[in-house]
Amino acid sequence: MSLTDFLTRKKTFPDWDPNMPLTDTNGPFDRGASLRQIAAYFEDGRFFVSKSHQNNPQVLSLLKEIKISDYPEPIIEAVDITRVQMCYEGGQDMLDFRGKQDEARMRREVLNLVSEMSKRRASDIHVVVYEQSCLVRARIDGSMERIAEWPPEYGHSFCAAAFTMADAADVNYQPYEYQGARVSNRKDLQLPEGVISLRLQFNPTVYEGRAMIVRLLYGTDEKTAGDVTALGFTAEQLEDFSYLRAKPYGINIVAGPTGHGKSTTLQRNIIAILQEYNYNIAFYTVEDPPEYPIQGAVQMPVTNASTAAERTAQFTKAIAAALRSNPDRLMIGEVRDAASAQLAFEAAMTGHQVWTTLHANDGLTIPFRLRDLHVESYKLTDPELLTGLISQRLARKLCMNCAVMLEESSLPYSMLARLEAAEVPLERLRARNKHGCEKCGTGNGYAGRTLVGEIIIPDEKFMRLVRDDEKKRAEEYWLTQLNGRNMIEQMVDLLRKGNIDPHDAERVVGPIILPDRDKMG
């Protein structure tokens, strides 16, 4: 556009409403929806810009255009992104008196949604802003459920308001960057009953969209605080846990996908240890961030980290600090890299008991995953160091009050054959009642989730097979000589009781194929 066009621009819009931004749709400085998300310029010169976008190329380019036009010199005011968006909702007249009220209203909307989802014991809320809409879904009993659909502008404001509620976050909300935050109970912000904190993850998406994932963290009933039994482990597995808790040294690792209860298993076992020692023990935890309060433990958060590299460095620093704090027991939230793996083994080698988590497919894969993290073979194949290999999944339980007989015709032939081979009586199989009932309350025929797991307590021969990369033989040895039972075998028990829909079972543990112990050496 030529300089003459700029200088005559004001004459082209003689009837423009002075209360509306000149950057609004079809205005003299309309630069599209992406700029309207972060900046607004009014005819009296006021220029509102998102705090985190003051050096955005679009904003700088617009400022240059304004300065060579016939419009007033911009008076720049850096504000929260929600206030920028309010400029387009009601204009300048509405901005001053609506700002605080609208932000407070949107924060209430965030709390209302969290409250409604907490009543249904949702683990996560997903708010995804697309170009033309905003979709809200929640993960309830492990399954995603659609909750609402909003206009995209409302979704952007909702995400920004959630960020302003955080007590641990970056200084500014940046809608086109990856950010994490935490919202905790405090005097000026009370979370719904039972919810102790929210963990927020913000991700940019295509077409200037936004995705916010809210992890709801619930408090633990004092009656079940140290009760590992309630999680769903078998009697034999509970005995294994008791044995592992009694050892004063060694690393016990819980593996499994995100959202399948690893942190809860750690928390319950840590509280059980504290109770067994009458709290006369020094138990330190290093977490990023701490998920559940553990009375009697010293919980050390990872702080002052804004990038992945800084977070890794701070996490390693916190573990080293915990080791220098004279602990009896140590919990590391996650072995995430070579540095944290080395420190975990260093703690075990100096006589400490360590509990931690790891992303691995099953218990047998844990030592091989540690090898990928550059743990030396002599360490990870020492049964006095790597003492417990635990893996778990969560599966949706059927409401036994309204579950219905499963029709054989609803099963694929291949699944039917697998169930018959596993000796699961077809007359015992149940399916969910899609209409639900008053007892399950959710209207979807489920009654929460239960756990399927496996625990390996290795010995010298098992570790020797691991060292020699004999994974299949190590599995056979565990199942036949160490009285092992894998997750599929526990799932079959639940299917025989009619507790789990077979479709849900295979989504969690894969095809129902029992190990053939008769053919194992």
Side-chain angles (χ1 to χ4, degrees):
M1 186 174 289
S2 67
L3 178 60
T4 303
D5 291 333
F6 276 121
L7 296 175
T8 59
R9 188 191 308 238
K10 194 168 184 178
K11 298 176 184 178
T12 311
F13 298 89
D15 299 323
W16 188 261
D17 183 351
N19 289 320
M20 297 305 296
L22 299 175
T23 44
D24 204 356
T25 306
N26 298 322
F29 293 101
D30 178 8
R31 290 294 173 272
S34 60
L35 186 128
R36 285 193 288 276
Q37 291 288 333
I38 58 177
Y41 173 61
F42 288 91
E43 195 171 10
D44 63 0
R46 298 179 74 186
F47 189 99
F48 296 95
V49 60
S50 163
K51 292 176 183 177
S52 55
H53 292 83
Q54 296 179 68
N55 295 317
N56 181 282
Q58 278 188 296
V59 173
L60 297 177
S61 175
L62 175 61
L63 288 171
K64 288 181 181 179
E65 289 185 24
I66 294 171
K67 289 180 180 179
I68 63 172
S69 72
D70 199 27
Y71 282 87
E73 181 78 10
I75 305 169
I76 300 174
E77 184 176 347
V79 297
D80 290 333
I81 197 168
T82 50
R83 295 196 68 197
V84 173
Q85 294 162 9
M86 290 173 197
C87 295
Y88 297 96
E89 293 176 9
Q92 180 172 277
D93 286 350
M94 301 291 290
L95 182 62
D96 293 334
F97 74 87
R98 280 186 58 194
K100 291 184 178 179
Q101 290 90 335
D102 277 22
E103 183 175 321
R105 176 181 62 82
M106 191 57 72
R107 288 164 67 125
R108 286 195 299 272
E109 292 296 321
V110 174
L111 290 175
N112 288 340
L113 178 62
V114 170
S115 178
E116 287 301 313
M117 293 302 98
S118 68
K119 292 175 184 175
R120 301 183 62 185
R121 300 298 289 184
S123 60
D124 303 87
I125 302 170
H126 293 238
V127 180
V128 183
V129 186
Y130 299 98
E131 193 173 15
Q132 302 294 332
S133 66
C134 173
L135 185 62
V136 182
R137 297 187 299 168
R139 190 177 296 280
I140 300 171
D141 292 335
S143 181
M144 294 292 282
E145 184 175 321
R146 182 168 174 156
I147 303 300
E149 186 171 357
W150 301 331
E153 297 80 9
Y154 187 90
H156 278 295
S157 297
F158 189 91
C159 293
F163 184 88
T164 65
M165 296 164 62
D167 57 315
D170 295 338
V171 176
N172 296 316
Y173 178 58
Q174 302 178 35
Y176 304 116
E177 295 187 14
Y178 297 97
Q179 290 182 288
R182 185 194 67 212
V183 180
S184 303
N185 263 322
R186 53 188 191 272
K187 289 183 179 179
D188 64 324
L189 192 150
Q190 290 296 311
L191 293 173
E193 184 178 357
V195 180
I196 58 174
S197 65
L198 308 174
R199 201 166 70 198
L200 312 179
Q201 175 62 41
F202 298 87
N203 303 323
T205 61
V206 295
Y207 308 118
E208 298 169 349
R210 191 66 161 159
M212 177 179 71
I213 297 86
V214 182
R215 168 66 60 87
L216 282 71
L217 301 174
Y218 298 94
T220 304
D221 188 339
E222 292 184 5
K223 296 179 181 179
T224 61
D227 185 8
V228 184
T229 308
L231 297 177
F233 288 103
T234 65
E236 294 79 7
Q237 290 167 342
L238 293 173
E239 288 183 10
D240 288 339
F241 271 122
S242 180
Y243 173 77
L244 293 174
R245 290 197 301 269
K247 295 178 77 71
Y249 53 81
I251 302 175
N252 303 306
I253 300 178
V254 183
T258 301
H260 279 256
K262 298 188 300 296
S263 296
T264 302
T265 296
L266 281 187
Q267 180 217 27
R268 295 284 180 91
N269 273 288
I270 289 168
I271 295 174
I273 292 170
L274 290 165
Q275 291 173 345
E276 288 164 1
Y277 281 87
N278 200 27
Y279 293 91
N280 294 320
I281 190 172
F283 209 129
Y284 280 74
T285 78
V286 177
E287 303 167 80
D288 178 24
E291 294 195 355
Y292 300 100
I294 302 175
Q295 186 177 1
V298 180
Q299 294 180 265
M300 300 170 60
V302 176
T303 56
N304 302 321
S306 56
T307 66
E310 289 178 4
R311 188 167 286 108
T312 297
Q314 291 296 329
F315 195 76
T316 304
K317 183 178 178 181
I319 297 172
L323 286 174
R324 294 192 299 269
S325 302
N326 189 29
D328 294 302
R329 302 286 190 274
L330 179 65
M331 189 271 270
I332 300 171
E334 178 187 355
V335 169
R336 56 176 63 193
D337 52 30
S340 57
Q342 290 292 345
L343 285 169
F345 275 87
E346 179 184 323
M349 292 176 72
T350 54
H352 300 90
Q353 185 189 75
V354 181
W355 292 79
T356 187
T357 69
L358 181 74
H359 288 293
N361 291 333
D362 51 36
L364 192 65
T365 306
I366 290 174
F368 296 94
R369 177 76 182 97
L370 290 169
R371 182 177 296 170
D372 291 340
L373 295 176
H374 308 295
V375 176
E376 296 92 331
S377 182
Y378 78 90
K379 292 180 182 177
L380 63 84
T381 58
D382 183 349
E384 296 300 306
L385 280 180
L386 193 52
T387 47
L389 310 176
I390 304 147
S391 183
Q392 65 181 60
R393 299 283 194 282
L394 294 177
R396 292 188 292 181
K397 291 189 301 183
L398 295 172
C399 172
M400 301 310 292
N401 187 61
C402 66
V404 297
M405 291 284 294
L406 185 69
E407 295 182 8
E408 189 174 322
S409 59
S410 69
L411 293 175
Y413 177 77
S414 57
M415 184 187 294
L416 187 61
R418 287 193 293 271
L419 292 171
E420 289 179 344
E423 298 181 355
V424 179
L426 297 182
E427 64 272 14
R428 298 300 305 275
L429 290 176
R430 296 291 183 273
R432 74 182 182 95
N433 186 329
K434 296 179 180 179
H435 303 291
C437 67
E438 292 182 1
K439 188 171 182 179
C440 61
T442 61
N444 63 5
Y446 289 110
R449 292 193 288 177
T450 190
L451 180 148
V452 289
E454 58 190 29
I455 301 178
I456 303 173
I457 299 180
D459 65 4
E460 291 283 353
K461 183 174 180 179
F462 177 89
M463 287 306 201
R464 188 164 60 250
L465 292 169
V466 169
R467 183 191 61 206
D468 295 338
D469 282 331
E470 297 278 0
K471 188 175 181 180
K472 185 65 177 175
R473 288 186 59 197
E475 180 183 24
E476 292 178 356
Y477 177 75
W478 166 54
L479 293 173
T480 58
Q481 304 302 313
L482 299 181
N483 298 318
R485 294 189 82 239
N486 63 23
M487 286 185 286
I488 293 179
E489 290 177 297
Q490 188 176 350
M491 182 64 82
V492 166
D493 289 343
L494 295 172
L495 287 170
R496 289 169 178 165
K497 294 176 182 177
N499 293 148
I500 308 287
D501 186 313
H503 295 92
D504 291 328
E506 293 209 337
R507 292 189 189 104
V508 172
V509 299
I512 302 296
I513 301 174
L514 289 177
D516 190 347
R517 296 171 186 266
D518 293 335
K519 293 183 179 180
M520 294 180 182

